[in-house]
Amino acid sequence: MTPQSTFMITAAVRRDRLEELRQLLAGMNSAPGFADPRNPLLPFWQFRRLHVARFTLLEANTNEDIKAHGVQPGLWRPTLCFIGDIDGDVDTFLAELVIRAEPGLRQIFSHCEGFDGIHTRLLLWLHRHRRGPAANYVNWRGRTVVQIGEELALREALAREVRRPGGDAQDVHIRQRWRRLQHFVREEVAAGRLRLTPSEPTPPGWFVANLLHLVGVPLLLLLLSPLFLLAAPFYFYRLRQLERSDPQNTLRAAGDHLRALAAQEDIDVTNHFNVFGQVKPGRLRLFTIRMGLLLLDYSARHIYKRGYLTRIQTIHFARWVLLDRNRRVYFASNYDGSADSYMDDFINKVAWGLNLVFSNGVGYPRTRWLLKDGARHEENYKRTLRRNQLPSESWYKAFPGVTAVEMARNSRIREVLEQDNPGDGELREWFSLL
Amino acid sequence: MNTTTPRTDIELDDMQGLLRFAHGHLSEAAFLLLRVADPVAARQWLAAAEVTSARGQSPLPDSALQVAFTAAGLLALGVHEDTVIAFSEEFTAGMSGDENRSRRLGDTGANHPRHWRWGGAAADTPHVLLMIYTRPGKLTGYLRSTLTPGFTAAFVVQDTLRSKTTGPEEPFGFVDGISQPVIDWQQASRSGAQARDTYSNLLAPGEVLLGYPNEYGLYTSRPLLHPSGAPGAERLPAAADQPGLRDLGRNGSYLVLRQLAQDVPAFWRFLDQQCGGDAQQREQLAAAMVGRGRDGAPLVAPATRSIAGIDRGSADNHFTFADDPHGRQCPLGAHVRRANPRTGDFPPGSDGPLRRLLRILGFGRRGRRADLVASTRFHRLLRRGRVFGTTLTPEQALRDEPLKAAQQERGLYFVCLGANISRQFEFVQNAWLASCKFAGLSSEADPLLGNREPLPNGAATDQFSRPRAGEPAHCVRGLPQFVTVRGGAYFFLPGLRALKFIVQQE
């Protein structure tokens, strides 16, 4: 199993070169915000380990909102953010990136502070500007780009074959039909028309680290639990105070801002989402968001790694990053469907999960006991999200037109195909997937 | 009609009749699309117009008149800009004019607003919609008496959309309008959210009417005015959630109008060709695509559990798809299943606190397709559409020698009411009808409404699949476009006091 990794490179943009950079990044696109995989600046199509990537300009459009808490807003310089989700480790990917796209990357990052033209060693610079996520979600751990492509082709070939006259004899037992299709696939593979690359062994280092994480985090929380228990009454007393008094945003996003966001939505069946906001002032809020993200990261890593994040089955990749000495939070996701259905899905299915993390953000609608209400204030929730949302300058997805649910279905088709002796029920289900 | 008896404190006198009645006995209708030529004269004419209220009349009236405005229309009549922008973003932006909205609604290709007869650009978006309903044979006379010199000075008639209803069928030949939400007037003053684990046909008044709590137990935002802020504002109803302010939205609703041309010969000929001329198979395929037989009979068995807001006796409405998760009886992609998937807040089998908790955390889903479709109650439409064009039966459509009538345009003036265009009409149109990924499907948009445009990666959307147990789905490919959008706009259907306020602007 090849585990997925994620990288994020951030650098403040030089004051006078922001618009120039925006133009440059837009030049990579074939539609608003939608990267041409074969653009000359960063030829995404060449990277066989890259699922999704994007360039975003993190700008603090809602910086003033924190004034509602009686706090002066901090300074935030517009920051270029380059993120990607990949198969395997980050180090070799970044090296590959430099080998394949050094001129383009230099051109992009030369708009940033601290990038000193040809004197900068690009790979080192990329490593120095990496930021780790506080929480990360991968729809299906271990499913590689290569695998997705191969399984997509497999499903298409099988669907064609069973519908070809004479391709699927109806009068024999279902198992014989399955065996015949197995044989068909073997021949297609032998002829080089299909590929079904076996999965790589799990890297031992990763396996051990993952195991330690699986056990270590609960152990640590268990050790700290007496402390938490003692502090709980004070924590909840203060939390309820804050929940009753924290200012909420009721403003709509400006029309221009909404139009800029909408211009790049629904071009593909998958959309990209960026939210950049401020963490509410005070240690309680910081503690809460850190704990919330810790739980989220833990459950995403060890529980929600097979096609769903609680009830949501439409997210391909998502990350939460604390920036600016934990005063700001950045959320980036790749999801199927339109922005409105995404927001509705969240409100109706996982309002509690959103509340746990995002209610610590400035402007979020009022919660009760951390999990209740909040996002259920539908209109204010949508307004606040839209206000803090940012467009992507350029977004790439290796398989446009394919949803996470379809990828899971295709993997299942292959899984049963490669089994030795599936049950009749499994076979019936398998045929209905074709 | 599907309405519960409203409580006595519901302001029926302040609501337009269309919210409560479809005016079914008034079989002729004309929807006049008007541009304001002279605001003063327009206000005068509208102030004198006898707009039909939701108060029941006995005997039934011989005609009905309803009035609605686009955002441009409100501005043209002199409503202050600050007031107009307090309506929802979709309403002020309008149905056309934004490529993203067009993409989401499936208004691309032949459906693109640039091809529309009306509403495709700001210059031909109507200001006022007059909906006139009369008894058979009375429409022409009514129109003649309406188009007085005062009227012609006030408005330019952009188009007159005429309709004559001859039966319960829509132009493809299927009984239409069976499923409608029932407004639960008991919830008119109850705020605070409630859960609906399973499908319910009762809908909080605030899902249809502005100024009442919606399914979240909240008030959808709408223009609230200071009593002294605008002349006449003091006569508007008080806002239930902010008693110091006056509510321009209360007892009003948004109205979506779309002119949909239906290619009836193409529909029946395509099906006939797919079935090799076998009449029985053709009917079956047609029923699978619609999700009902031509007589309206659903393809799934009646629900065994009771459904709030639907009589057990109403055989063609008392059902859900809970026992048909894979779409083997009614295909997942069937039109009525997309338009109203009859889902609750939780997937089936979420009874009991433990199971419920597991479901909340995403565990224990039954089958691969479980829980992919959103909860229906947040996405209901109160439909008030009317057909246009002459009737063409399937048998007529299939004749070798096409009747002259076959070439005439026919279709539906789709009309729906709701308090939130984005969460209701646009969501249903986008996520459920136009989406080729609805409920885990892959290559098919709505079999009736799909525009058949391929995805950006070239993938087809022109298929229709009928899942079978233990077999690959039966798949029809190359569906032509059967329905084409010819025009459309978003309107505000004001309450009657709000209407008085709008026409008294200066």
Side-chain angles (χ1 to χ4, degrees):
Chain A
M1 192 265 299
T2 307
Q4 279 58 51
S5 334
T6 182
F7 68 86
M8 166 161 164
I9 287 147
T10 62
V13 180
R14 292 183 197 203
R15 207 173 292 278
D16 53 334
R17 305 200 59 190
L18 185 63
E19 286 317 304
E20 200 186 315
L21 176 59
R22 219 188 286 278
Q23 294 295 321
L24 179 71
L25 295 171
M28 297 166 68
N29 297 338
S30 58
F34 198 77
D36 176 358
R38 290 177 183 264
N39 79 84
L41 212 54
L42 210 177
F44 288 115
W45 69 280
Q46 294 183 0
F47 297 89
R48 299 290 287 145
R49 294 167 54 198
L50 180 63
H51 290 264
V52 286
R54 77 180 77 177
F55 287 95
T56 311
L57 286 168
L58 298 181
E59 293 177 272
N61 297 332
T62 53
N63 209 28
E64 303 284 301
D65 287 10
I66 202 167
K67 280 184 176 170
H69 288 265
V71 173
Q72 276 306 308
L75 186 71
W76 175 260
R77 308 267 311 273
T79 297
L80 175 64
C81 162
F82 172 38
I83 60 185
D85 290 276
I86 57 169
D87 299 321
D89 68 311
V90 174
D91 290 359
T92 45
F93 184 82
L94 290 184
E96 189 191 345
L97 199 64
V98 170
I99 290 166
R100 291 187 194 270
E102 176 152 10
L105 290 171
R106 280 191 178 277
Q107 209 182 333
I108 292 167
F109 290 116
S110 67
H111 295 76
C112 296
E113 294 285 351
F115 195 90
D116 190 15
I118 51 163
H119 302 296
T120 302
R121 285 164 61 197
L122 182 59
L123 187 58
L124 192 66
W125 193 87
L126 292 177
H127 275 290
R128 284 203 178 134
H129 286 80
R130 276 182 62 186
R131 296 279 174 281
N136 191 51
Y137 171 71
V138 179
N139 179 278
W140 199 286
R141 165 90 47 77
R143 189 172 60 206
T144 63
V145 174
V146 169
Q147 186 187 344
I148 294 168
E150 291 177 349
E151 289 170 355
L152 197 61
L154 172 70
R155 197 247 175 189
E156 276 170 20
L158 282 170
R160 256 197 317 274
E161 178 65 9
V162 288
R163 288 178 180 82
R164 186 175 63 81
D168 178 25
Q170 303 279 328
D171 50 348
V172 293
H173 189 265
I174 192 161
R175 190 167 305 274
Q176 273 168 285
R177 290 166 57 199
W178 170 72
R179 290 232 184 273
R180 212 200 64 72
L181 288 166
Q182 250 188 341
H183 179 72
F184 160 77
V185 171
R186 264 199 300 275
E187 286 196 334
E188 291 293 292
V189 169
R193 286 187 291 267
L194 285 178
R195 286 174 75 111
L196 289 173
T197 312
S199 65
E200 308 253 334
T202 306
W206 180 89
F207 183 81
V208 172
N210 199 49
L211 199 66
L212 286 176
H213 189 269
L214 174 71
V215 184
V217 170
L219 211 62
L220 189 72
L221 290 179
L222 197 68
L223 284 175
L224 291 173
S225 60
L227 222 67
F228 288 158
L229 218 57
L230 279 175
F234 303 99
Y235 172 84
F236 283 107
Y237 176 74
R238 181 69 186 138
L239 177 74
R240 290 297 296 141
Q241 263 188 336
L242 290 175
E243 284 183 328
R244 277 188 281 260
S245 64
D246 276 346
Q248 330 174 62
N249 170 62
T250 54
L251 295 174
R252 280 199 263 207
D256 290 346
H257 182 67
L258 282 175
R259 275 188 289 278
L261 295 172
Q264 48 175 251
E265 283 169 7
D266 308 304
I267 291 169
D268 183 35
V269 296
T270 308
N271 276 306
H272 41 113
F273 202 71
N274 302 286
V275 178
F276 183 53
Q278 297 172 87
V279 180
K280 285 173 180 170
R283 272 180 297 186
L284 182 133
R285 288 299 188 181
L286 181 60
F287 170 78
T288 310
I289 196 169
R290 298 209 77 142
M291 284 308 286
L293 288 171
L294 180 80
L295 282 175
L296 186 62
D297 189 59
Y298 182 85
S299 53
R301 191 162 169 172
H302 300 292
I303 302 167
Y304 298 115
K305 51 185 186 176
R306 283 287 179 272
Y308 57 93
L309 178 59
T310 67
R311 290 178 67 191
I312 307 288
Q313 303 174 62
T314 50
I315 303 176
H316 293 256
F317 293 92
R319 81 184 64 209
W320 293 255
V321 191
L322 290 167
L323 291 167
D324 193 17
R325 285 181 287 151
N326 301 327
R327 284 187 299 202
R328 295 171 200 271
V329 62
Y330 170 53
F331 169 68
S333 73
N334 306 269
Y335 63 95
D336 298 323
S338 73
D340 278 312
S341 53
Y342 182 55
M343 291 193 285
D344 281 327
D345 231 14
F346 266 90
I347 295 169
N348 297 324
K349 289 179 174 167
V350 279
W352 60 274
L354 289 174
N355 295 345
L356 179 64
V357 172
F358 286 113
S359 71
N360 304 296
V362 170
Y364 195 84
R366 193 154 290 173
T367 49
R368 277 186 303 126
W369 301 103
L370 205 53
L371 301 181
K372 290 178 105 62
D373 296 350
R376 302 286 295 189
H377 294 282
E378 179 216 354
E379 268 191 319
N380 280 342
Y381 167 74
K382 288 179 179 172
R383 286 176 174 188
T384 306
L385 212 59
R386 284 298 205 182
R387 247 174 81 76
N388 289 288
Q389 195 187 342
L390 293 173
S392 305
E393 300 305 314
S394 190
W395 173 76
Y396 166 78
K397 175 172 174 257
F399 296 98
V402 187
T403 62
V405 169
E406 289 175 301
M407 291 177 187
R409 176 201 61 196
N410 298 347
S411 292
R412 176 72 184 154
I413 288 173
R414 177 184 179 174
E415 193 188 334
V416 175
L417 181 81
E418 291 181 343
Q419 273 181 31
D420 292 330
N421 199 15
D424 282 2
E426 265 182 311
L427 284 177
R428 273 196 298 276
E429 186 228 348
W430 188 76
F431 271 95
S432 72
L433 294 178
L434 298 177
Chain B
M1 250 1 278
N2 280 322
T3 41
T4 53
T5 308
R7 297 185 328 189
T8 46
D9 57 334
I10 301 302
E11 300 154 330
L12 293 177
D13 289 325
D14 195 40
M15 291 171 200
Q16 295 203 38
L18 197 62
L19 284 158
R20 198 169 160 220
F21 310 114
H23 305 311
H25 70 289
L26 304 173
S27 61
E28 288 194 27
F31 300 158
L32 271 59
L33 307 175
L34 309 175
R35 299 273 300 181
V36 172
D38 175 349
V40 177
R43 289 196 295 261
Q44 245 171 30
W45 190 91
L46 286 165
E50 284 182 31
V51 177
T52 310
S53 85
R55 174 72 63 198
Q57 293 182 46
S58 180
L60 290 170
D62 290 331
S63 67
L65 172 69
Q66 319 285 199
V67 184
F69 305 96
T70 57
L74 292 175
L75 291 171
L77 288 168
V79 178
H80 198 277
E81 202 187 331
D82 294 342
T83 306
V84 176
I85 58 166
F87 282 102
S88 71
E89 189 269 332
E90 317 81 79
F91 171 70
T92 51
M95 189 187 284
S96 64
D98 171 357
E99 285 296 323
N100 171 267
R101 173 160 287 114
S102 296
R103 275 201 299 273
R104 268 187 291 141
L105 299 181
D107 294 345
T108 55
N111 283 350
H112 195 280
R114 79 171 75 90
H115 307 301
W116 291 3
R117 287 205 195 120
W118 57 273
D124 58 17
T125 295
H127 288 153
V128 182
L129 170 67
L130 278 192
M131 310 173 90
I132 295 163
Y133 300 84
T134 69
R135 289 191 187 270
K138 303 281 189 220
L139 183 63
T140 309
Y142 189 104
L143 285 176
R144 203 177 306 123
S145 66
T146 303
L147 301 176
T148 56
F151 182 89
T152 39
F155 303 106
V156 175
V157 180
Q158 214 185 333
D159 212 336
T160 303
L161 312 178
R162 293 183 74 131
S163 162
K164 192 183 271 183
T165 307
T166 52
E169 296 92 5
E170 53 71 60
F172 289 134
F174 290 79
V175 172
D176 193 18
I178 298 167
S179 157
Q180 293 275 26
V182 172
I183 296 177
D184 182 9
W185 294 104
Q186 304 306 319
Q187 290 187 56
S189 53
R190 187 168 72 205
S191 56
Q194 55 161 357
R196 291 264 192 207
D197 286 7
T198 56
Y199 175 64
S200 156
N201 200 39
L202 289 179
L203 202 60
E207 289 292 305
V208 178
L209 291 158
L210 292 167
Y212 294 83
N214 60 22
E215 284 290 330
Y216 289 107
L218 300 169
Y219 291 82
T220 305
S221 64
R222 67 281 178 206
L224 301 180
L225 308 172
H226 280 283
S228 57
E234 73 283 355
R235 286 196 296 275
L236 286 171
D241 50 341
Q242 294 184 54
L245 297 175
R246 300 297 159 140
D247 191 340
L248 185 58
R250 188 169 167 96
N251 298 322
S253 181
Y254 292 109
L255 183 152
V256 177
L257 171 60
R258 267 160 94 80
Q259 182 174 351
L260 306 175
Q262 294 176 242
D263 193 341
V264 177
F267 178 77
W268 285 106
R269 281 170 190 210
F270 176 79
L271 295 185
D272 193 55
Q273 176 212 326
Q274 287 295 316
C275 302
D278 182 311
Q280 200 190 342
Q281 278 187 37
R282 186 177 67 221
E283 282 301 316
Q284 280 170 0
L285 179 57
M289 284 166 69
V290 173
R292 289 179 183 277
R294 268 206 264 164
D295 58 358
L299 305 184
V300 296
T304 46
R305 288 164 84 131
S306 62
I307 301 172
I310 302 177
D311 264 350
R312 250 176 200 284
S314 70
D316 47 10
N317 204 16
H318 195 268
F319 66 94
T320 71
F321 303 105
D323 295 326
D324 181 30
H326 305 288
R328 285 166 197 156
Q329 277 122 51
C330 178
L332 297 166
H335 175 71
V336 303
R337 190 160 182 170
R338 285 175 174 265
N340 181 7
R342 300 178 183 238
T343 46
D345 289 1
F346 283 94
S350 307
D351 326 291
L354 183 65
R355 276 210 197 155
R356 207 183 149 90
L357 181 67
L358 286 175
R359 289 296 189 291
I360 289 174
L361 294 174
F363 305 121
R365 273 178 295 122
R366 291 178 177 175
R368 327 186 50 74
R369 282 193 157 123
D371 211 13
L372 286 176
V373 178
S375 182
T376 303
R377 64 184 173 126
F378 302 102
H379 314 287
R380 293 303 300 274
L381 312 175
L382 188 62
R383 293 175 298 150
R384 292 289 186 251
R386 291 267 168 152
V387 296
F388 68 89
T390 52
T391 310
L392 190 72
T393 64
E395 292 70 28
Q396 289 169 332
L398 284 166
R399 276 199 208 159
D400 290 339
E401 288 274 316
L403 294 170
K404 211 189 280 169
Q407 276 128 46
Q408 285 172 11
E409 195 169 85
R410 55 181 55 75
L412 187 70
Y413 298 126
F414 171 85
V415 173
C416 77
L417 301 170
N420 191 331
I421 297 172
S422 135
R423 175 157 64 75
Q424 296 168 332
F425 167 71
E426 290 190 347
F427 182 98
V428 172
Q429 182 70 24
N430 165 258
W432 287 352
L433 296 172
S435 169
C436 61
K437 308 292 185 182
F438 172 78
L441 295 169
S442 273
S443 310
E444 52 184 285
D446 185 84
L448 304 182
L449 292 172
N451 63 15
R452 321 300 182 215
E453 295 276 306
L455 292 179
N457 67 345
T461 69
D462 62 353
Q463 305 183 1
F464 174 67
S465 61
R466 297 159 79 180
R468 297 178 292 178
E471 291 294 331
H474 183 275
C475 200
V476 179
R477 284 153 206 271
L479 265 71
Q481 183 168 356
F482 299 127
V483 175
T484 310
V485 186
R486 298 279 190 229
Y490 293 150
F491 297 89
F492 169 56
L493 181 88
L496 295 178
R497 278 176 287 179
L499 176 63
K500 286 273 178 297
F501 171 82
I502 290 165
V503 300
Q504 279 164 15
Q505 301 291 309
E506 196 47 74

